[in-house]
Amino acid sequence: MNTETTIDTPALLVEEPEEGIALLTLNRPKARNSLSEALMAAVSEELDGIASRQDVRVVVLAAAGPVFSAGHDLKEMTARRADPDRGRAYFTEVLGTCSAMMQRIVRLPQPVIAAVEGVATAAGCQLVASCDLAVAGAAARFCTPGVHIGLFCSTPMVALSRNVPRKHAMEMLLTGEMVDAQDAARFGLVNRVVAEGEALAAALAMARTIAAKSPLTLKIGKRAFYEQLEMGLSDAYRHASAVMVENMLARDAEEGIGAFIEKREPNWQGR
C-alpha cells in the first residue's frame, strides 16, 4: 500500500473552513509536496466531486510545510527508466494525468485560489498559474527550473504563458531562475503579495468575498472568461454577448438587479 494515501497520512487534506469554501491542502511536506501519482489522483478526484456541488462556491488550494510544490515527483518518475521502453509509456501517462488535473482546475465551475507560501517550482509553478487567482506570502518564490537539469518545462509553459507576458515567461523558462513574490505579482502570476505566513488567511478572505456572489453567475463568468480567451476579438464579443443575454434571463440576475434598485441584499438561488 502507498503510505501517502493511508488514513494517517493522506496526500491531500480536505476541509470546509467556512460555508461555501472548500480548502484543499497538498500534504506531502517531506517530499516538498511533489506531484506524485497519488497526490494528482487525490486532487483530481476531489475536484470532480466539488464540480457538482452547489454548496461549494470557491476552492482554496494550499500546501503543508515550507514548500508549496516542487513539481513532479522526479524520484517516482526516474524509477521507471528501468522499464523496457525506458519509461516512455509511464512518462506519457503521468504527464497526461498532470495536464488533465490542471485543466480540471480551469474547467471547474467554481473559482480556485492558490495560497502560496515558500517555493513553487516547475509543475508546482504550473499549478499556481492554472488557478484562477493566487495570493503569495512575501517570501514565496517561483521558477521553471527544468533547463538546469536538461528538461525544458514544456507543460508548465502552457499555463505560465497564458498568465505571464511573453518575455517574462520566456525569461523564466530559459534561465530557470527564481522569481520573488513581488516580481511574480508584477508579472501577473499572482494577484497580490501579503506578509509571510498570511497567504492562506488572505486567500480565505478573498474566497469569502467571492462566495457571497451568485454561484450561477460565478460559473457562467468563469466559463465564459476562458472560452473567449481562445477566440479572435469579433468572435469573443459575439460569444460574450450571447452569454450575457442568457445570464440576464437567469433568476439570479433578475434578483440581483432588483435588489440593487431596491437597495437590499440579494437572495441568491443559483438559477
Side-chain angles (χ1 to χ4, degrees):
M1 178 182 294
N2 190 326
T3 57
E4 72 172 343
T5 58
T6 63
I7 294 174
D8 293 331
T9 57
L12 182 71
L13 302 178
V14 181
E15 304 169 79
E16 295 184 22
E18 299 179 30
E19 183 179 356
I21 300 173
L23 172 61
L24 310 184
T25 304
L26 308 181
N27 190 39
R28 302 187 71 216
K30 292 182 179 179
R32 298 169 62 84
N33 290 314
S34 55
L35 302 178
S36 64
E37 289 183 85
L39 180 52
M40 289 190 291
V43 172
S44 296
E45 181 179 0
E46 196 60 38
L47 291 176
D48 286 347
I50 288 172
S52 61
R53 290 184 57 182
Q54 298 298 316
D55 60 323
V56 175
R57 299 187 178 185
V58 187
V59 176
V60 174
L61 182 65
V67 174
F68 181 79
S69 176
H72 285 291
D73 189 325
L74 294 180
K75 290 183 179 179
E76 191 175 70
M77 296 180 75
T78 298
R80 299 302 292 268
R81 287 192 181 278
D83 292 356
D85 65 352
R86 298 181 57 238
R88 178 183 292 273
Y90 178 76
F91 300 156
T92 300
E93 179 183 354
V94 166
L95 290 171
T97 297
C98 184
S99 296
M101 181 187 72
M102 302 297 176
Q103 291 176 77
R104 275 183 171 88
I105 293 171
V106 173
R107 292 170 181 164
L108 193 75
Q110 299 91 336
V112 182
I113 306 171
V116 187
E117 299 283 359
V119 176
T121 65
C125 184
Q126 178 186 3
L127 185 58
V128 176
S130 295
C131 292
D132 305 299
L133 302 165
V135 178
R141 294 183 296 162
F142 306 82
C143 73
T144 47
V147 288
H148 296 318
I149 59 171
L151 182 66
F152 198 83
C153 284
S154 298
T155 46
M157 172 182 68
V158 175
L160 186 68
S161 64
R162 282 162 170 74
N163 281 258
V164 172
R166 184 176 300 179
K167 284 184 169 56
H168 290 313
M170 285 296 285
E171 181 179 355
M172 290 181 68
L173 291 161
L174 293 173
T175 68
E177 298 301 317
M178 286 285 185
V179 170
D180 64 26
Q182 294 294 342
D183 277 343
R186 182 167 60 87
F187 293 174
L189 181 57
V190 303
N191 294 82
R192 63 187 64 168
V193 179
V194 297
E196 183 178 359
E198 294 298 317
L200 179 56
L204 287 171
M206 184 183 289
R208 199 175 300 122
T209 298
I210 296 170
K213 310 299 187 287
S214 158
L216 176 66
T217 303
L218 298 176
K219 177 181 178 179
I220 290 172
K222 176 174 173 176
R223 183 177 64 232
F225 177 83
Y226 289 109
E227 288 173 342
Q228 63 84 27
L229 276 180
E230 304 301 322
M231 300 175 182
L233 185 61
S234 296
D235 287 340
Y237 268 113
R238 277 193 291 270
H239 180 65
S241 294
V243 169
M244 202 158 188
V245 168
E246 293 304 313
N247 195 171
M248 277 291 290
L249 295 172
R251 189 268 169 201
D252 273 5
E254 183 179 2
E255 165 64 12
I257 293 169
F260 175 77
I261 293 171
E262 296 165 15
K263 296 181 172 55
R264 60 175 174 81
E265 290 297 316
N267 178 24
W268 306 126
Q269 295 187 13
R271 59 184 179 87

